[in-house]
Amino acid sequence: MDEQTLLSIKEFAEFTGVNQSTLRYYDEIGLLPPTSRGKNNYRCYTPFQVITLNFISVLSELGVPLATIKDISDNRTPEGVLELLTKQEFELNAQLRKIQKASSIIHTFRDHIQVGLLANEEAITIQELPEDNFILGDENDFKDDEKFYQPFIKFCNDATKNRINLKFPIGGYHDNWDHFFGSPSKPSRFFSSDPYGNNKRQAGRYLVGYNRGYYGEFDDLPKRMKDYAEKNKLVFKGPVYKKFLFDEVSTSEKDNYLSQVAVQIK
Amino acid sequence: MDEQTLLSIKEFAEFTGVNQSTLRYYDEIGLLPPTSRGKNNYRCYTPFQVITLNFISVLSELGVPLATIKDISDNRTPEGVLELLTKQEFELNAQLRKIQKASSIIHTFRDHIQVGLLANEEAITIQELPEDNFILGDENDFKDDEKFYQPFIKFCNDATKNRINLKFPIGGYHDNWDHFFGSPSKPSRFFSSDPYGNNKRQAGRYLVGYNRGYYGEFDDLPKRMKDYAEKNKLVFKGPVYKKFLFDEVSTSEKDNYLSQVAVQIK
DNA sequence: TTGCTCCTCACGTCACGTGAGGTGGC
DNA sequence: TTGCTCCTCACGTCACGTGAGGTGGC
């Protein structure tokens, strides 16, 4: 093995896309020492170490600790490496599912904000809404004229039990229009806008209104929607859905939260 | 907001699955300070901060730096958050592709090792092999009686140009049987066992032999395969494929590398 | 007194990245 | 002399995790 056929740290880094300082670190911890040292004490790698390093970096990028990789590598046998790889394929599937879940969470939030930005906030409008999945929480129990902190805490508490993933946006649900009109800030239940949820908001024509203000503040929106419905001879059916298009996540000012209220029309 | 409706750090950690020490750290860097401090200086969180924290942890788990999250969060507007999320959805797709690529690399290595473990190393056998994708490198140029270090370095050098991902297992390719028989350790080309490659090893009947030893050491395997073919009146067609089932990655001893040689039978 | 929950501060850790200061051959 | 590649050593960084030692109310 003459020196011409060995790789300098620069070439080795270029072939593998791994930083030189990372290579020195791998040398330091004994994970991948160069095959030899040339004149000037330069590190020399054999071309085939490209294969080893590439394998190491695939595992490392997947989050396998270097100590684990070193353990296997120090005492590598086909059986041992096979076991690691089998475990990793399993792990990879878990990672894939996690990313897909994160993707759907981000998509749902993005969708909420986008609907908010496109909304004509002042107007009450009739809209054709598509089917929408969600998961309902247990029935809320408002004692006296309590705010919704307690019911919300209960909703969080029961989340695991109800298979609710609290990372999706959360909305309010009223059994029917009269319930909403009577106590607009006290939803019968909370729901999670989980696209894999097994409750469905039907596709169809909805009367939709918006309101700026903190969670539960609807000002005169219930009345404006009712007036609109009476003027246009509309009859409501089914539950009332409240979504918080702008909330904690997307606005710093509480007065600027944007709620959407939707109820289906017969 | 009386203290009963505020969450202790313990409850907050339980609702969100985030460690208490992480919460203290988020407080310290100003990313998510508790709404207030109770008696004893205890941290008190409002229930709705569950939403904020969940959002933070989704982003953080995707690798968004806390400093970036804090920047957006400090001055959050629907437009700003929308922009971040749009960027993140793009990023997520890149992550997905990366994981899928890693998955196929790991699967391919696993497959190589598994074939090696199941192989009857002593025997020359006729096997029905499935179609197999790969990517061919440029033609090798062996000067004099040079070892394959130089050609291999050239293969690595040209990898990007040839769209070869060096993270997949690498094998040797001979244009035909005579070339292999004449110089078994000097393949015409190297190839990468990339399942998305656009070269294909045909499905069909192959004569397959194995040999223990370092890269390029085939001992009497060529002769044994030839003898077997003559005895059984087999005629070879097409190229010879050499795979390294056990290599740098799966064995520490060079003498224990396991090569597989396969050539199609008419 | 014991248990429990919380507090702060300091230090450790993982996998590097970033200089600072120096070498050695063209 | 200048440029280039490499070296070592020290220190920084990111996002926490882990104690150690202390408080405060039942």
Side-chain angles (χ1 to χ4, degrees):
Chain A
M1 282 196 240
D2 54 313
E3 290 210 1
Q4 286 201 320
T5 51
L6 292 175
L7 304 175
S8 70
I9 196 168
K10 193 189 183 187
E11 294 170 299
F12 196 48
E14 275 169 8
F15 285 178
T16 57
V18 174
N19 197 317
Q20 293 191 26
S21 67
T22 303
L23 290 173
R24 293 198 189 90
Y25 179 65
Y26 287 176
D27 182 11
E28 193 190 324
I29 63 171
L31 176 59
L32 188 73
T35 301
S36 62
R37 291 283 189 141
K39 45 193 173 185
N40 310 339
N41 202 25
Y42 283 17
R43 288 176 178 82
C44 297
Y45 295 89
T46 57
F48 297 138
Q49 285 188 291
V50 168
I51 298 172
T52 312
L53 178 56
N54 272 329
F55 186 70
I56 290 173
S57 66
V58 167
L59 291 177
S60 171
E61 281 172 24
L62 294 177
V64 183
L66 296 186
T68 307
I69 301 179
K70 183 167 153 49
D71 277 357
I72 305 275
S73 169
D74 280 349
N75 207 342
R76 70 208 115 117
T77 62
E79 290 83 358
V81 175
L82 182 67
E83 195 186 318
L84 173 71
L85 293 182
T86 307
K87 214 166 122 193
Q88 268 326 111
E89 274 206 79
F90 188 80
E91 247 296 300
L92 270 170
N93 285 327
Q95 276 191 38
L96 265 180
R97 278 196 301 277
K98 194 172 176 180
I99 290 198
Q100 276 154 356
K101 175 140 285 180
S103 185
S104 72
I105 291 171
I106 288 193
H107 190 81
T108 309
F109 267 104
R110 211 166 78 89
D111 192 58
H112 272 57
I113 296 178
Q114 231 157 12
V115 169
L117 287 174
L118 294 173
N120 179 354
E121 294 178 28
E122 311 304 320
I124 307 290
T125 50
I126 296 175
Q127 292 182 24
E128 203 63 50
L129 295 183
E131 187 177 273
D132 195 27
N133 292 18
F134 61 96
I135 305 184
L136 268 187
D138 291 337
E139 200 146 348
N140 290 332
D141 180 18
F142 288 91
K143 295 163 195 136
D144 318 320
D145 52 4
E146 196 188 275
K147 286 244 176 182
F148 38 66
Y149 282 81
Q150 281 295 349
F152 184 76
I153 291 176
K154 198 168 173 306
F155 174 76
C156 292
N157 246 321
D158 295 342
T160 318
K161 188 195 86 186
N162 290 332
R163 302 185 158 279
I164 284 174
N165 183 339
L166 290 174
K167 297 188 179 189
F168 285 102
I170 291 159
Y173 175 100
H174 294 263
D175 294 331
N176 52 56
W177 172 262
D178 288 343
H179 186 281
F180 170 66
F181 195 80
S183 51
S185 60
K186 294 182 178 174
S188 337
R189 299 161 185 266
F190 291 107
F191 69 88
S192 144
S193 289
D194 185 334
Y196 299 107
N198 45 4
N199 298 101
K200 287 184 198 301
R201 189 186 69 186
Q202 277 179 41
R205 290 172 73 228
Y206 283 78
L207 191 66
V208 178
Y210 303 93
N211 200 63
R212 289 272 177 177
Y214 192 53
Y215 296 131
E217 288 175 13
F218 292 94
D219 303 327
D220 61 347
L221 180 62
K223 192 169 174 310
R224 282 163 53 220
M225 289 178 75
K226 196 181 178 192
D227 291 349
Y228 184 99
E230 282 173 0
K231 202 172 291 173
N232 294 276
K233 301 207 166 82
L234 306 173
V235 183
F236 298 138
K237 78 173 188 192
V240 175
Y241 300 93
K242 300 188 307 196
K243 286 189 176 183
F244 303 101
L245 304 180
F246 302 161
D247 61 354
E248 308 253 337
V249 162
S250 51
T251 326
S252 22
E253 283 165 66
K254 299 193 172 188
D255 296 340
N256 259 332
Y257 289 9
L258 181 65
S259 318
Q260 180 202 58
V261 174
V263 57
Q264 201 173 1
I265 308 166
K266 267 190 187 161
Chain B
M1 284 197 238
D2 54 312
E3 290 210 2
Q4 287 203 319
T5 51
L6 291 176
L7 303 176
S8 71
I9 195 168
K10 191 188 184 187
E11 294 170 298
F12 196 48
E14 278 170 6
F15 285 178
T16 56
V18 174
N19 197 316
Q20 293 190 27
S21 68
T22 303
L23 290 173
R24 292 198 190 92
Y25 179 65
Y26 287 176
D27 182 10
E28 193 189 324
I29 63 171
L31 177 58
L32 189 73
T35 302
S36 62
R37 292 283 190 141
K39 45 192 173 186
N40 310 339
N41 203 25
Y42 283 18
R43 287 176 179 81
C44 297
Y45 296 88
T46 56
F48 296 138
Q49 285 188 290
V50 167
I51 298 172
T52 312
L53 178 57
N54 272 329
F55 186 69
I56 288 173
S57 65
V58 167
L59 291 176
S60 171
E61 280 172 24
L62 294 176
V64 183
L66 296 186
T68 306
I69 302 179
K70 184 168 152 48
D71 276 357
I72 305 274
S73 169
D74 280 350
N75 207 341
R76 69 208 116 116
T77 62
E79 290 83 359
V81 175
L82 182 66
E83 195 187 318
L84 172 72
L85 293 181
T86 305
K87 212 166 122 193
Q88 267 326 109
E89 274 207 80
F90 188 80
E91 247 296 300
L92 270 170
N93 285 326
Q95 276 191 38
L96 265 181
R97 278 196 301 277
K98 193 172 177 181
I99 290 197
Q100 276 154 355
K101 174 139 285 180
S103 185
S104 72
I105 291 171
I106 289 193
H107 190 81
T108 309
F109 268 103
R110 210 166 79 89
D111 191 57
H112 272 57
I113 296 178
Q114 231 157 10
V115 169
L117 288 174
L118 294 172
N120 180 355
E121 294 178 29
E122 312 304 319
I124 307 289
T125 50
I126 295 175
Q127 292 181 24
E128 203 62 52
L129 295 183
E131 186 178 272
D132 196 26
N133 292 18
F134 61 96
I135 305 185
L136 269 186
D138 291 338
E139 202 147 344
N140 289 332
D141 179 19
F142 288 91
K143 296 164 194 135
D144 319 320
D145 53 4
E146 196 188 273
K147 287 243 176 183
F148 38 65
Y149 283 80
Q150 281 295 350
F152 185 75
I153 292 176
K154 198 170 170 307
F155 174 76
C156 292
N157 247 320
D158 296 342
T160 319
K161 186 195 86 188
N162 290 332
R163 303 188 158 276
I164 284 173
N165 183 340
L166 290 173
K167 297 188 179 187
F168 286 102
I170 291 160
Y173 175 100
H174 294 263
D175 294 330
N176 51 56
W177 172 261
D178 289 343
H179 186 282
F180 170 67
F181 196 80
S183 50
S185 61
K186 294 182 180 175
S188 338
R189 300 161 185 265
F190 290 108
F191 68 86
S192 144
S193 289
D194 184 334
Y196 298 108
N198 45 4
N199 298 100
K200 286 183 198 302
R201 189 186 70 186
Q202 276 178 42
R205 289 173 71 226
Y206 283 77
L207 190 67
V208 178
Y210 303 92
N211 200 64
R212 290 269 178 181
Y214 191 54
Y215 296 132
E217 289 174 14
F218 291 95
D219 303 328
D220 61 347
L221 181 61
K223 192 170 175 313
R224 283 164 53 222
M225 288 178 76
K226 198 182 178 192
D227 291 350
Y228 184 98
E230 282 173 359
K231 201 171 291 175
N232 294 277
K233 303 208 167 80
L234 305 174
V235 183
F236 298 138
K237 79 172 189 195
V240 176
Y241 300 93
K242 300 188 305 196
K243 286 188 179 185
F244 303 101
L245 303 179
F246 302 161
D247 61 355
E248 308 254 336
V249 162
S250 52
T251 326
S252 23
E253 284 166 64
K254 297 193 173 191
D255 295 340
N256 259 332
Y257 290 9
L258 181 64
S259 317
Q260 180 203 58
V261 174
V263 57
Q264 202 173 0
I265 309 166
K266 268 189 188 162

